[in-house]
């Protein structure tokens, strides 16, 4: 099909919930994507923090092909080796006790919310409050969009599930006021992603952990975006010296194959009995075979050191750009390879900057209208960082 034909067919038939850029992506190689006409783009979005190992990574392609030739799917009513292996790896890496696989981030969070509710009900029937953060993002199902502290995701979808309250991220005093013995769980992104890349400040997460302990509330950390090595640690919470009761993963966990997971303590796990939760596809052998490649690669010390090192290099370069264009970029935030450039009255809007970068062969993202979000594959090199920095420089300097 020609590009024009694809645009036409898709515009006519696909439910238009995404504002799409007018390119047709056909294939990828490492940190690069190619469109139908063969134009090359350096990919600093990675399918929204998904393609952690880049595109067409040979061991991942091989594992998927080999598993597909054996068996793609069997029911969760039976055991499979890829799932048993992936669960064992997640338990070991997290320091928690039990993993459950879903198909997406929203579903992973939905499962975490359900098990937290069941667990808290066993303590007291009115222990139902779930506190989340303003500006957070937890998904698009009814419960997870209610957990999401951005009202525009909720408008028109009422009635929403009850029991959710919001506090400002990085304000432990406000949480101390809101939390009580009726709090079932506090649910936070370890590093806020979609809301504009906000890492936790100082001892914020330690204070959150203490408040949860004091009130017997579970701490759920959503690492769907910040996990899988993106922060420079496999789980971003490792950076802040705390451990959650439940952590959720998705996005990069299977390098691009749809998957989600929540991992929890044994104590929490006991709240679910056979029949209390389930999924048809979740954790099927194909998805888990892909996840096992990510789980064999990303947690490696050298791999994580690379993320830390190239991330620091990238951040320095972004800070240099900010100094060069102080009237356009207000602040650089982030950890490892989840970085954000806060725009401040730029000459072009965030979306225009993204479009200009695309014309010049770089795919980046703008979130909340004013933050350039840089979430590349974790395998990028310094030279590739320079490539994107040069493009950004030319766009901002024009
Ligand atoms: C993307 C994201 C989700 C939702 O994941 P889906 O796979 O789109 O359902 C939830 N939480 C965070 C932090 C995310 O970045």
């Amino acid at each position: 099909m020609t590009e024009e034909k694809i645009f036409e067919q898709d515009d006519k038939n696909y439910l238009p919930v995404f504002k799409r850029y007018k390119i047709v992506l056909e294939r990828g190689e490492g940190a690069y994507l190619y469109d139908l006409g063969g134009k090359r783009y350096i990919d600093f979005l990675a399918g929204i923090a998904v393609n952690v190992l880049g595109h067409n990574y040979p061991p991942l392609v091989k594992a998927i092909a080999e598993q597909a030739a054996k068996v793609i799917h069997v029911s969760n009513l039976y055991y499979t080796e890829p799932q048993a292996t992936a669960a064992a790896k997640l338990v070991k890496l997290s320091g928690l006790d039990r993993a459950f696989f879903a198909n997406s981030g929203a579903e992973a969070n939905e499962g975490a919310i359900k098990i937290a509710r069941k667990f808290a009900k066993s303590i007291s029937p009115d222990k139902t409050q779930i506190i989340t953060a303003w500006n957070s993002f937890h998904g698009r199902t009814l419960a997870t969009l209610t957990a999401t502290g951005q009202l525009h995701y909720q408008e028109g979808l009422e009635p929403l599930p009850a029991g959710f309250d919001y506090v400002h991220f990085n304000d432990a005093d406000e949480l101390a006021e809101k939390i009580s013995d009726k709090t079932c769980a506090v649910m936070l992104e370890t590093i806020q992603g979609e809301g504009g890349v906000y890492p936790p400040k100082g001892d914020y997460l330690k204070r959150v952990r203490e408040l949860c302990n004091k009130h017997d509330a579970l701490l759920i950390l959503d690492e769907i975006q910040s996990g899988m090595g993106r922060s420079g640690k496999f789980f971003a919470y490792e950076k802040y010296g705390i451990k959650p009761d439940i952590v959720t993963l998705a996005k990069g966990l299977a390098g691009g194959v749809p998957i989600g997971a929540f991992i929890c303590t044994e104590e929490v796990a006991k709240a679910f009995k056979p029949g209390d939760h389930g999924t048809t596809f979740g954790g099927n052998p194909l998805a888990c075979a892909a996840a096992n490649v990510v789980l064999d690669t990303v947690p490696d010390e050298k791999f994580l050191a690379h993320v830390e090192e190239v991330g620091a290099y990238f951040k320095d370069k972004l800070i240099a750009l900010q100094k060069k264009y102080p009237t356009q970029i207000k602040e650089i935030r982030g950890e490892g390879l989840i970085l954000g450039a806060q725009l401040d009255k730029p000459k072009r809007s965030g979306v225009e900057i993204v479009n200009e970068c695309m014309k010049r062969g770089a795919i980046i993202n703008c979130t909340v209208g004013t933050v350039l979000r840089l979430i590349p594959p974790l395998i990028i090199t310094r030279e590739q960082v320079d490539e994107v920095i040069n493009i950004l420089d030319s766009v901002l300097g024009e």
Side-chain angles (χ1 to χ4, degrees):
M1 257 195 280
T2 62
E3 205 176 60
E4 284 312 317
K5 187 82 194 153
I6 294 168
F7 292 150
E8 188 193 313
Q9 258 195 25
D10 198 85
D11 290 347
K12 181 159 172 274
N13 297 296
Y14 183 78
L15 189 86
V17 292
F18 295 101
K19 258 197 212 142
R20 285 187 167 155
Y21 296 97
K22 282 266 175 182
I23 56 173
V24 180
L25 295 170
E26 196 190 23
R27 64 189 179 88
E29 192 69 50
Y32 296 95
L33 282 167
Y34 296 83
D35 72 13
L36 211 54
K39 180 175 168 180
R40 188 176 91 158
Y41 303 84
I42 185 148
D43 181 11
F44 269 44
L45 175 63
I48 316 189
V50 169
N51 306 98
V52 286
L53 300 173
H55 301 284
N56 202 10
Y57 181 67
L60 182 61
V61 173
K62 182 165 177 270
I64 292 169
E66 283 179 5
Q67 187 57 50
K70 278 191 205 159
V71 67
I72 293 174
H73 175 83
V74 297
S75 165
N76 273 311
L77 296 174
Y78 310 97
Y79 293 84
T80 67
E81 183 175 335
Q83 192 183 90
T85 306
K89 285 175 183 162
L90 285 179
V91 162
K92 183 150 184 264
L93 284 167
S94 62
L96 298 166
D97 303 309
R98 300 236 171 223
F100 177 83
F101 293 104
N103 307 289
S104 67
E107 259 184 83
N109 282 338
E110 190 83 24
I113 292 166
K114 279 177 68 179
I115 203 167
R117 281 260 169 96
K118 275 253 177 182
F119 176 79
K121 284 260 164 75
S122 73
I123 300 172
S124 162
D126 61 354
K127 196 171 173 61
T128 55
Q129 180 196 41
I130 295 176
I131 301 177
T132 70
W134 292 116
N135 201 42
S136 59
F137 185 79
H138 296 295
R140 303 283 201 149
T141 62
L142 278 171
T144 57
L145 70 85
T146 307
T148 293
Q150 303 186 58
L151 300 180
H152 66 97
Y153 286 119
Q154 305 173 358
E155 274 156 19
L157 299 171
E158 303 84 356
L160 300 171
F164 291 85
D165 277 314
Y166 312 99
V167 294
H168 290 90
F169 191 66
N170 272 326
D171 186 343
D173 293 336
E174 188 188 354
L175 179 63
E177 275 171 35
K178 273 248 163 89
I179 198 170
S180 75
D181 291 348
K182 294 203 167 129
T183 306
C184 154
V186 175
M187 179 171 181
L188 300 170
E189 291 164 89
T190 308
I191 299 171
Q192 288 194 332
E194 195 268 355
V197 188
Y198 290 93
K201 287 187 183 154
D203 64 352
Y204 173 66
L205 287 178
K206 280 198 173 143
R207 285 196 61 200
V208 171
R209 178 72 271 184
E210 282 161 19
L211 286 166
C212 287
N213 292 350
K214 187 172 156 202
H215 294 282
D216 251 336
L218 298 175
L219 176 57
I220 304 172
L221 290 179
D222 176 343
E223 295 232 2
I224 288 164
Q225 188 163 160
S226 62
M228 283 68 64
R230 187 152 292 280
S231 73
K233 298 277 184 205
F234 188 80
F235 293 98
Y237 64 73
E238 297 170 61
K239 287 205 134 161
Y240 306 102
I242 56 144
K243 215 167 96 177
D245 302 289
I246 308 175
V247 62
T248 59
L249 299 176
K251 290 205 160 85
L253 180 57
V257 177
I259 194 167
F262 73 80
I263 318 162
C264 64
T265 62
E266 189 67 47
E267 198 192 358
V268 171
K270 286 201 181 95
F272 269 176
K273 301 282 177 289
D276 282 350
H277 194 52
T279 167
T280 299
F281 288 125
N284 83 14
L286 188 76
C288 286
N292 282 325
V293 176
V294 171
L295 293 171
D296 282 338
T297 311
V298 173
D300 178 73
E301 242 173 71
K302 279 206 202 102
F303 189 97
L304 291 174
H306 168 78
V307 175
E308 194 81 71
E309 191 270 328
V310 79
Y313 177 79
F314 195 5
K315 196 172 184 182
D316 282 349
K317 291 271 168 176
L318 286 168
I319 290 169
L321 267 192
Q322 182 210 350
K323 293 207 171 111
K324 191 166 171 190
Y325 303 106
T327 59
Q328 298 195 69
I329 303 176
K330 191 163 144 192
E331 187 182 38
I332 304 298
R333 294 186 291 267
E335 294 286 329
L337 286 171
I338 174 168
L339 296 169
Q342 177 74 53
L343 298 173
D344 183 31
K345 301 184 216 83
K347 288 193 228 158
R348 291 187 166 108
S349 73
V351 175
E352 285 163 355
I353 292 172
V354 168
N355 269 312
E356 273 307 312
C357 286
M358 205 171 73
K359 277 190 208 154
R360 292 162 210 223
I363 291 180
I364 65 163
N365 172 252
C366 175
T367 188
V368 296
T370 53
V371 179
L372 301 180
R373 178 172 47 162
L374 301 145
I375 40 179
L378 305 180
I379 46 123
I380 54 150
T381 62
R382 284 179 176 228
E383 292 68 34
Q384 290 166 337
V385 168
D386 291 343
E387 216 178 300
V388 166
I389 289 288
N390 289 338
I391 291 174
L392 270 173
D393 192 357
S394 75
V395 171
L396 292 168
E398 226 172 45

